[in-house]
Amino acid sequence: MRWLQVFVSLVISVVYVAGASTSFAGFFASYGDATVLDPFIECENINRMTGKCTCEAGGFTSDPSLGARIVSDGTGTTNEPGYLFYCASSMSTVTGWGGMYQRDADVPDGQGCRYPNPYTGACSCPSGYQSITTQIMTDTVKLIELISSNVTFCWSNPSSSATFAFGGVYQKSSSDECLTSNPATGSCSCSSEFPITQMINTVVEAGVPHKLAPIYICERGVNKALNVHAVPHTHDDPGWLKTVDGYYDCCVQYILDTVVSSLAANPKRRFTYVEMAFFTKWWEQQTEETKSLVQTLVKNGQLDFTIGGWVMPDEACPSYIDLIDQMTAGHLFLKETFGEDYVPSVGWQIDPFGHSNGNTWTYSQFGFDFNVVMRIDHQDLTWRRANVDMEFIWRPFQSFDSSQDILSFELYDGYGWPPGRISIFDLTENKTMSKDDIGPDEHVVWEPEPFAHWAYNAANSFKTNEILAPMGSDFKWQDAEPEFSALDDLISYFETHPEYGINMFYSSPTSISKAIMDYDLSLSVKTSDFFGYSDSVDSYWSGYFTSHPAFKRYVRASSALFTTARAIHALASADPSLYQEYLTSPWHAIAVTQHHDAITGTSKSFVYDDYLSQLDVGNNASASAILKSLSVIDKDIEASWEVCPPVKENPSYCEKLAKGDMVSVINSLALLQDIPINLQVTSQNLCAYLTDGTSVPSQTRLAPWVGEEVLYELSFIAEGVPPLGIVSFVIDQCNVTTSYTRRQLLSAGATVTIENEFYTLSFDSTTNTLSKVLDKIRGVSMPVDIDVLYYVPEGSPYRPQSGAYVFAADTPPNSFPGPRGSLSVFSGEVYQEVEVVVDSSSNVIQRFRLYKNDPTIAMFTTVGPIDIADRYGKEVIVRLNSTIASSGVVYTDSHNLEFQERVYNVLYDDYTVENPISGNYYPISSATYIKDSTNILAVVPDRAQGAASLGSGSLEVMVHRRLLTDGDKKGVGEPLNDSSTICTKQLLVFTDASDIERVRSATRKQEHIPVLLSSEGSVKSIQFEPMATPLPENIDLTTLQVTQYDMFGASTILRLHHTYAVGEDAVLSQPVTINLADLFVDWVIETAVEVTLSAAHKVGIMESLIVTLDPMSFRTFAITMVPV
C-alpha cells in the first residue's frame, strides 16, 4: 500500500536545522464568547509559522503565552472578543523579541496594566528594546463595554543569522491608513529579511461599527500556510425522496452536463463524482464528442472518481457478496471506459450511518489506500477534534496484519459547504425544480472571512496542514458555472491576500490523500468499527438496521437468484452476449439497493415501489438466463421449465404445484448439500419422488400462511444435491396412506417435546412457550425462554424519538395483549414442529421446526400487519433468555465476515452508551451470538436485522417496525408506516462454545438460498453436475461470472473466499490450498490472472493454478475457460 511506504521513510516538510530549537515561533489570535473569559474559543488568526493556532514551529517546545485581550472582527462582523497569544520562551536580541504588554486607556472599568511584559514584570520594555505601540479595542471587566487599549511590542534589531526572528510590527486600517509604522522600515511594511507577514485582526474606535485595523507582525522562520483543498462534489442518492430516475431527470443530468462544460472552460477546476448508477446512465446518452471531452477531463485529473461503485453503500445491512458486486459493477465500467489508472483508490463514505470494519476491509482489498468517513458518534467526533486525531490508521480485521491497514480521515463538520457561501438562488432548495427554472442573473458569492475562520479552526483538529474543504452537498451543482466562478474568486482572493496564510486550490479526495501521505506522521491505530452511531445525545441510528424488513428479505432472495444464475450461465453456456442481455439488469438492480438509503429502509415508500420493480425486472432476467443457459445442455429445457420466483415472506417455493408436476433444485453452493424444500401444493396427499420413481420421505400440512384459497405445504429433503448442480423430483400421489400431518392442539399443563438427531425442544403448554433446549450430541440442556415483544416508539417530545433511522426506546418492551393460543404440534418423516399464535391482532405467530438431520433450529416468526388501533406504533423483537453467563458481551457479524465483540453499555473505544436499550443495538447481516466457557447460543437471520444483548444470557433481534410519526426527523419526511406482513426464518444454534462451525454453516445456508425450477406435467428431468469435486467446507465460491468486460485478456471472474477468521476453529481456520485446474468437469481454465477484489487491477499472472487462501481472505482471478 502506498501510504505504508511513505510512513516508514523520513519526510521533512519544513526547512530548519535538524535538532535545533527556537525561543521565538510567532503569534496567533482567538475569538470567542463575549460573556465568558475563556482563553481560547475559536481560531481567529493562525500562526503563519504553523499554519494553525499553535506554537509548534522550528522545534519550539513551550506553551503559548497570553499577550492581550483584544476585540477582533470574528467571523466577519465586529466586536468579537478574543485573545492574542505569542510563542516565545525568552527574550533575545538574537531573535529581536523583547516581550509585549497591554495597557488600557485611563477610563472607568479599565484595568490599567492589564497584561505586563513577563520579562520586566511591568508594562514596559527591557533595556535596549524599542516600543511599538498599537491601538485596539478591548472589553471591560464587566464584559459588556468596549474601551480603548494599547498593545505594545518590544523589538530590537535581531541578528541576521537567526533562523526564527521578530522583525517589528505595523498597523493599518481597513482603508489602508498607516496607524503605526514599523521602526525597522519606517513605514507600514516589513523589510525583505522578514518575508512572513502575520495578520492579527483588531478594531479601533471610529464610530459604530468600529473600524477594522489589523496589526501586522513581521517574522522570519517557517512560512507554513494552510493548504486548503477545495473539493467540489455532489452527493447524489440513487433514490431517497425521489426514485433513481426521478433524481436523474430533475437534477443529476444537469449536474453532469454543466460540470463538464465548466471544467472544460478552465483547466484549474476539478470535480469529484461517486455514483456510477447515475454516471453510466448519463454516459450512454452522450455524443462521441462529449465522451472524448470527458476522457480528457478524467485523464488530466479534472474529473475525479472516488469509490467508483454503483452506489455509496450502506455499511450495516449488506452482505459481503452484494458489497463486492456493486463495487465490481462500477469499477469494471471505469476500467473499460477510462483505463485501469482511473479506477479509484480512495473511499468517500460521507453519508452512511456509521462505518463498519467489513466495508473498510473490502476497500483495502479493492486497492484503496485512503478512506474518508463522516458519521461517527458525537462523543468520538468531539474527542478526535480536541485530541488532533482526525487522521488515523484503521486496522479493521484481526485476521490480517498491518498490510491490510487503511489510512482514514474524518471530515471536520460534514460534507456540505463550509461557512461563507451565499447563494442568491439555490436551485436545490426546491428539488422539484429543473434547470429551466434558473433565471439569468442568479449567482453565488463567497465571503472570505467566515471561510478563513472555518479553515483555521478545522486546522487545529488535524495533524497536517492539509485541510479538506468539501464544496457541495446533496444534488448540488445543477448549474455549475456560477459555483465554479464564485470559487475561482475565493481562491484568487487568498492568492492576493497572503496575510491570511491560506494556500487554496482546486483538489480532490485523491489529491489530498497523496498530500497527507507525504508527511511523516505518528497515527493512532483503530481496530473497532464506528457502531453504534449517535449524532447527538441519545439519538442512536439503530432503527434502520430493521426498517422495511420485507424489502431487506427480497434483496437477499434476489441476490441469491442472481448469484446462482451467473454461475449456471458460466458453467452451462458462457455466452457473453447472453450475459449482457439477461444478467446485466439484475446485477445493476441489486447493486442500486446497496445504496445507504435503499437497503437501510430510509427512503420514501413510493421509492421502494420503484426499487421492487427494478428487482422484479432483474429477477425475471435472471430466470431467463438460467433457462437459456441450461438449454445449451438440453434445448427442451427453456420450453418445458420455468424458474420459481424468489421466496419472499411465504417460506414455500413455487406456486400451486399439482399431481404430475416436477421440480428441480439448484444447489447454489459449491458444496454437496442436503436441502430442506418446502413447496406450495394444491392437495394434502402429494409426495416427492426421484425421477426413477424412488419415493422421497415427504410431509404435508395446511399451509402456514393465510391466503384466499386452501393450499398446502409439501416438505421434503433434497439429499445429496451436487455442488452447483441440479436434481429433479416428481410431485405425485403418495404411495402411503398419507403424509399429511394434522395440527395437534395440546391442553394446558402438559410438557411438549419435539426432536431430531441434534436437539430436543421442550415447551411449557401452560405458558405456551419454549422452556428448554437439549443438545443431544453433548447431552447438555439449558433453560431457554423465547418471546415476541414490542417497544413503543412514541416517547417524550423532549427526547429523541424513533423514525426510519433512529430507534429511541427508553422503556422496557411490552408483551402483546394476546390471548396467546395453544401449542400446535406437527410431526412427520421430514420435520417436527410446534406452532403458537402469540397475538391475533398483529398476526404474530411463531413456529419452531426441527428438520431431520439438521444441526439448526428453524424459528419462523410471522408479524403483521402490526396493529395500530391503539394509536401507537410498535417495534417488534424476538427475545431469547438463557442461562448462558455472557456477562453483557454479544458478538455480531460484519457483512458475514469477521465477528465483532460488543460490550453492554460500552460504545466503541470505551465511550459511554447514553441509552441502555437503543444504544446497545448493532447491525447483523448474517449472525449474532452470546457465549460463555461452555455454551454458545446464536441467531442466524434470513435478512439484515438489528440485535442486542441487554443482560447476561439474553439476546434479542428486532424483526419489524411500524411507526406513526416521523419521530427522528432525519429527512425522509414521512412515518415508517410499514403495514407489511413478514415471516422471518431465523436459524438457532445451541452448541459447544468452541463450535463456531455450526454457526458459520448456518450463515451460508441463509445467504445461498437454493433456486427451484418447476414444470407443469412430466417432462424430461434436468441433469447437471458441473463441479469435479466439492470445495472444502471453509471455502466459498463467491463469484463465477462471465462479463462483457476485458479484464487483462479474460472476461470471467472467479472469486474464492475463506469463510473462517483466524482462531475461530482449530481446523477450519487454517490456510487451504486448492488446485483451480481440478474445479470443473466440462471446462478447463486456460489462463488466469490474479486481480484485486473488484477485478479492476492486476495483482499478477498465475504461474500455477494451485492457490492458497488464508483465513478470511478472498482471492479473485480473471480467467478464460475452454470446453473440455
Side-chain angles (χ1 to χ4, degrees):
M1 308 302 282
R2 185 174 72 218
W3 69 266
L4 284 173
Q5 296 170 355
V6 172
F7 279 25
V8 297
S9 63
L10 179 63
V11 178
I12 304 297
S13 301
V14 294
V15 179
Y16 56 87
V17 179
S21 61
T22 181
S23 61
F24 173 79
F27 298 79
F28 62 87
S30 72
Y31 71 92
D33 188 340
T35 64
V36 244
L37 287 170
D38 191 321
F40 197 94
I41 299 290
E42 301 286 349
C43 187
E44 165 75 3
N45 298 111
I46 58 171
N47 184 346
R48 290 293 307 278
M49 295 195 190
T50 67
K52 303 180 181 183
C53 280
T54 59
C55 286
E56 295 81 14
F60 186 85
T61 57
S62 299
D63 293 330
S65 299
L66 188 52
R69 170 83 168 175
I70 60 177
V71 170
S72 71
D73 72 332
T75 58
T77 59
T78 56
N79 302 351
E80 294 285 350
Y83 292 89
L84 173 60
F85 296 87
Y86 61 90
C87 304
S89 56
S90 63
M91 57 182 272
S92 169
T93 56
V94 174
T95 63
W97 174 250
M100 64 180 293
Y101 58 88
Q102 179 180 12
R103 182 187 293 278
D104 292 347
D106 188 13
V107 295
D109 296 319
Q111 296 185 45
C113 185
R114 184 182 289 231
Y115 288 106
N117 188 335
Y119 309 131
T120 64
C123 279
S124 63
C125 286
S127 176
Y129 287 83
Q130 184 172 340
S131 299
I132 310 173
T133 299
T134 60
Q135 311 165 39
I136 68 163
M137 299 294 292
T138 190
D139 51 4
T140 66
V141 177
K142 296 179 181 179
L143 302 178
I144 56 174
E145 299 173 353
L146 296 183
I147 60 172
S148 295
S149 186
N150 296 110
V151 176
T152 300
F153 299 83
C154 303
W155 168 82
S156 70
N157 195 18
S159 166
S160 61
S161 63
T163 303
F164 291 81
F166 171 55
V169 168
Y170 63 89
Q171 185 178 25
K172 290 197 305 183
S173 70
S174 56
S175 59
D176 213 30
E177 177 187 0
C178 186
L179 303 178
T180 302
S181 297
N182 183 358
T185 63
S187 64
C188 277
S189 64
C190 294
S191 75
S192 60
E193 296 180 6
F194 294 86
I196 303 173
T197 303
Q198 168 76 57
M199 181 179 70
I200 303 296
N201 285 331
T202 62
V203 294
V204 294
E205 189 169 14
V208 179
H210 300 292
K211 181 164 47 173
L212 177 64
I215 298 170
Y216 297 89
I217 304 169
C218 305
E219 301 166 352
R220 182 166 67 225
V222 177
N223 187 359
K224 197 171 184 182
L226 278 185
N227 292 322
V228 177
H229 296 250
V231 179
H233 77 101
T234 179
H235 178 64
D236 295 346
D237 295 302
W240 182 39
L241 308 181
K242 292 180 181 291
T243 64
V244 180
D245 286 344
Y247 273 135
Y248 181 83
D249 292 341
C250 83
C251 310
V252 175
Q253 61 176 324
Y254 302 119
I255 294 170
L256 292 170
D257 284 346
T258 61
V259 162
V260 166
S261 176
S262 292
L263 291 177
N266 184 340
K268 290 184 179 181
R269 294 171 173 174
R270 302 181 74 174
F271 196 83
T272 293
Y273 202 75
V274 173
E275 298 86 1
M276 293 303 102
F278 285 128
F279 187 84
T280 55
K281 182 180 179 71
W282 178 84
W283 179 260
E284 290 168 0
Q285 298 174 358
Q286 303 312 302
T287 64
E288 290 305 314
E289 182 181 4
T290 300
K291 288 182 178 180
S292 177
L293 171 60
V294 174
Q295 292 273 2
T296 300
L297 295 174
V298 170
K299 290 179 180 179
N300 69 19
Q302 285 186 264
L303 180 58
D304 189 65
F305 298 108
T306 59
I307 299 181
W310 211 245
V311 297
M312 183 185 295
D314 173 51
E315 299 194 43
C317 302
S319 73
Y320 69 81
I321 295 174
D322 295 338
L323 283 176
I324 295 169
D325 280 350
Q326 75 86 20
M327 192 69 80
T328 302
H331 280 192
L332 289 183
F333 165 80
L334 289 171
K335 177 183 176 296
E336 186 88 353
T337 307
F338 302 107
E340 180 185 358
D341 292 342
Y342 303 99
V343 176
S345 61
V346 170
W348 181 248
Q349 290 292 101
I350 59 172
D351 199 29
F353 324 130
H355 302 288
S356 70
N357 278 351
N359 188 68
T360 302
W361 181 77
T362 64
Y363 276 19
S364 72
Q365 304 307 294
F366 295 135
F368 292 8
D369 49 21
F370 187 77
N371 189 30
V372 178
V373 298
M374 194 200 83
R375 293 189 185 274
I376 66 176
D377 189 82
H378 69 101
Q379 299 172 80
D380 191 17
L381 179 59
T382 299
W383 186 91
R384 287 183 180 276
R385 284 176 174 174
N387 289 274
V388 196
D389 201 37
M390 304 287 272
E391 310 101 326
F392 56 96
I393 300 301
W394 198 344
R395 185 170 300 157
F397 280 166
Q398 302 309 299
S399 293
F400 304 98
D401 58 22
S402 60
S403 65
Q404 312 289 311
D405 292 355
I406 188 166
L407 176 60
S408 300
F409 182 98
E410 166 66 17
L411 289 178
Y412 179 65
D413 60 357
Y415 62 79
W417 275 294
R421 176 181 176 273
I422 300 175
S423 174
I424 305 304
F425 177 81
D426 190 341
L427 174 67
T428 56
E429 290 301 317
N430 185 341
K431 290 188 171 65
T432 64
M433 303 186 73
S434 72
K435 180 174 180 287
D436 296 334
D437 298 309
I438 302 175
D441 300 321
E442 281 82 29
H443 60 281
V444 178
V445 295
W446 279 89
E447 292 184 320
E449 286 288 340
F451 178 81
H453 287 99
W454 174 87
Y456 295 157
N457 285 288
N460 273 7
S461 295
F462 292 90
K463 289 182 168 64
T464 77
N465 278 50
E466 313 300 323
I467 305 304
L468 193 160
M471 297 292 178
S473 191
D474 294 8
F475 299 99
K476 302 298 184 181
W477 294 82
Q478 292 176 45
D479 188 23
E481 187 55 34
E483 297 290 358
F484 274 120
S485 180
L487 266 181
D488 292 343
D489 291 344
L490 184 64
I491 291 170
S492 176
Y493 180 87
F494 289 120
E495 286 177 351
T496 56
H497 291 77
E499 64 271 17
Y500 282 89
I502 290 178
N503 176 33
M504 186 177 183
F505 47 87
Y506 284 111
S507 187
S508 67
T510 303
S511 293
I512 195 173
S513 74
K514 294 175 181 177
I516 292 172
M517 292 174 193
D518 283 339
Y519 286 76
D520 183 22
L521 298 174
S522 176
L523 298 176
S524 64
V525 177
K526 179 176 176 62
T527 57
S528 62
D529 62 14
F530 285 100
F531 289 111
Y533 163 58
S534 177
D535 61 342
S536 58
V537 175
D538 190 14
S539 182
Y540 286 95
W541 296 46
S542 53
Y544 79 91
F545 303 157
T546 301
S547 296
H548 280 289
F551 179 73
K552 286 176 165 68
R553 170 60 186 175
Y554 197 44
V555 171
R556 173 80 59 96
S558 301
S559 175
L561 174 60
F562 168 64
T563 301
T564 302
R566 67 185 178 187
I568 295 297
H569 168 256
L571 293 170
S573 167
D575 179 357
S577 63
L578 190 154
Y579 188 94
Q580 191 160 3
E581 182 175 358
Y582 292 101
L583 288 173
T584 301
S585 63
W587 187 8
H588 294 168
I590 296 163
V592 83
T593 66
Q594 306 311 303
H595 161 52
H596 58 269
D597 273 311
I599 188 70
T600 53
T602 54
S603 288
K604 285 188 176 292
S605 56
F606 76 89
V607 175
Y608 282 100
D609 295 337
D610 182 65
Y611 286 140
L612 290 169
S613 177
Q614 292 184 56
L615 289 174
D616 287 341
V617 171
N619 290 338
N620 290 335
S622 289
S624 295
I626 290 174
L627 295 175
K628 289 181 179 296
S629 298
L630 291 174
S631 292
V632 175
I633 301 171
D634 184 338
K635 61 181 177 59
D636 295 328
I637 288 178
E638 185 176 4
S640 305
W641 291 85
E642 63 179 27
V643 176
C644 299
V647 173
K648 296 181 182 178
E649 302 306 323
N650 177 345
S652 299
Y653 288 90
C654 309
E655 294 182 358
K656 302 179 185 178
L657 296 175
K659 177 182 177 181
D661 292 344
M662 295 182 67
V663 294
S664 290
V665 178
I666 303 178
N667 180 1
S668 59
L669 279 171
L671 302 173
L672 188 71
Q673 274 206 101
D674 295 340
I675 306 174
I677 300 297
N678 303 307
L679 302 174
Q680 185 186 119
V681 296
T682 58
S683 170
Q684 67 185 31
N685 294 318
L686 293 176
C687 291
Y689 296 84
L690 296 176
T691 55
D692 64 2
T694 303
S695 64
V696 177
S698 303
Q699 186 172 340
T700 58
R701 59 157 288 181
L702 189 66
W705 61 89
V706 177
E708 295 181 356
E709 57 185 306
V710 176
L711 293 170
Y712 300 88
E713 181 185 69
L714 166 61
S715 301
F716 64 94
I717 307 296
E719 295 184 347
V721 185
L724 296 179
I726 303 175
V727 173
S728 297
F729 299 86
V730 178
I731 308 303
D732 210 341
Q733 192 76 24
C734 298
N735 58 13
V736 293
T737 303
T738 182
S739 65
Y740 183 60
T741 53
R742 298 184 183 277
R743 175 182 283 116
Q744 302 176 41
L745 296 175
L746 301 178
S747 58
T751 298
V752 180
T753 61
I754 58 173
E755 63 180 335
N756 67 2
E757 291 77 5
F758 289 88
Y759 297 109
T760 298
L761 305 185
S762 299
F763 295 82
D764 185 335
S765 60
T766 301
T767 60
N768 295 327
T769 58
L770 178 69
S771 59
K772 185 170 66 175
V773 178
L774 169 65
D775 177 358
K776 295 170 73 173
I777 304 300
R778 296 183 297 151
V780 174
S781 66
M782 180 178 67
V784 177
D785 172 70
I786 299 179
D787 203 356
V788 184
L789 309 167
Y790 67 91
Y791 291 101
V792 177
E794 281 76 28
S796 163
Y798 304 105
R799 299 193 62 181
Q801 296 185 32
S802 290
Y805 303 84
V806 170
F807 167 44
D810 54 9
T811 57
N814 300 324
S815 297
F816 280 93
R820 200 178 186 96
S822 300
L823 297 176
S824 302
V825 180
F826 301 85
S827 297
E829 292 187 80
V830 180
Y831 63 80
Q832 295 184 14
E833 179 177 276
V834 167
E835 177 182 280
V836 61
V837 176
V838 177
D839 179 72
S840 57
S841 60
S842 289
N843 189 34
V844 181
I845 303 168
Q846 277 206 300
R847 294 184 292 127
F848 298 86
R849 180 176 289 189
L850 294 177
Y851 285 103
K852 180 181 178 182
N853 275 322
D854 193 324
T856 65
I857 303 164
M859 179 174 67
F860 298 87
T861 304
T862 299
V863 180
I866 296 173
D867 180 45
I868 53 173
D870 57 3
R871 298 185 179 181
Y872 283 100
K874 296 173 179 64
E875 299 176 272
V876 182
I877 66 168
V878 175
R879 176 176 284 180
L880 298 80
N881 289 320
S882 72
T883 57
I884 289 179
S886 57
S887 302
V889 177
V890 63
Y891 298 85
T892 62
D893 76 285
S894 184
H895 310 295
N896 202 7
L897 295 169
E898 276 197 4
F899 283 97
Q900 314 293 299
E901 181 181 276
R902 317 291 190 180
V903 180
Y904 178 69
N905 269 353
V906 178
L907 197 61
Y908 68 86
D909 297 339
D910 294 330
Y911 293 109
T912 302
V913 171
E914 296 162 333
N915 183 312
I917 298 174
S918 57
N920 284 292
Y921 260 75
Y922 295 95
I924 59 171
S925 60
S926 68
T928 180
Y929 65 85
I930 55 175
K931 68 175 184 176
D932 56 20
S933 59
T934 305
N935 301 307
I936 186 172
L937 179 63
V939 177
V940 180
D942 62 351
R943 69 199 77 191
Q945 294 172 335
S949 177
L950 304 184
S952 186
S954 182
L955 186 59
E956 64 184 58
V957 179
M958 186 173 289
V959 297
H960 206 346
R961 311 178 75 217
R962 187 176 188 182
L963 311 176
L964 302 185
T965 64
D966 179 29
D968 58 19
K969 294 180 172 56
K970 299 301 182 185
V972 72
E974 67 179 29
L976 183 69
N977 191 6
D978 183 355
S979 60
S980 65
T981 298
I982 63 109
C983 178
T984 179
K985 176 186 177 184
Q986 297 165 313
L987 300 182
L988 309 183
V989 174
F990 171 58
T991 186
D992 185 84
S994 63
D995 188 8
I996 198 69
E997 175 186 0
R998 204 180 290 188
V999 179
R1000 286 287 187 188
S1001 176
T1003 65
R1004 294 174 77 172
K1005 290 179 180 179
Q1006 292 281 63
E1007 188 81 50
H1008 294 270
I1009 305 167
V1011 174
L1012 269 67
L1013 296 81
S1014 67
S1015 71
E1016 290 187 12
S1018 180
V1019 298
K1020 185 178 179 181
S1021 64
I1022 303 175
Q1023 303 295 326
F1024 191 57
E1025 295 188 32
M1027 295 199 68
T1029 183
L1031 287 178
E1033 183 183 347
N1034 49 0
I1035 301 299
D1036 179 44
L1037 199 164
T1038 302
T1039 309
L1040 184 61
Q1041 176 179 2
V1042 178
T1043 76
Q1044 66 266 39
Y1045 298 110
D1046 177 9
M1047 296 168 291
F1048 314 103
S1051 62
T1052 299
I1053 301 172
L1054 171 64
R1055 187 179 286 123
L1056 301 174
H1057 171 46
H1058 193 307
T1059 58
Y1060 283 72
V1062 166
E1064 278 189 335
D1065 186 273
V1067 176
L1068 296 173
S1069 289
Q1070 298 302 314
V1072 177
T1073 299
I1074 296 172
N1075 189 344
L1076 302 183
D1078 297 338
L1079 289 182
F1080 308 118
V1081 173
D1082 297 322
W1083 298 87
V1084 172
I1085 297 177
E1086 190 173 54
T1087 64
V1089 177
E1090 185 159 14
V1091 291
T1092 52
L1093 190 57
S1094 62
H1097 298 288
K1098 182 189 293 185
V1099 174
I1101 297 174
M1102 303 291 294
E1103 296 181 0
S1104 167
L1105 292 179
I1106 298 175
V1107 300
T1108 299
L1109 285 92
D1110 293 322
M1112 200 44 62
S1113 68
F1114 287 86
R1115 294 194 68 176
T1116 306
F1117 308 93
I1119 63 173
T1120 56
M1121 297 197 302
V1122 295
V1124 173

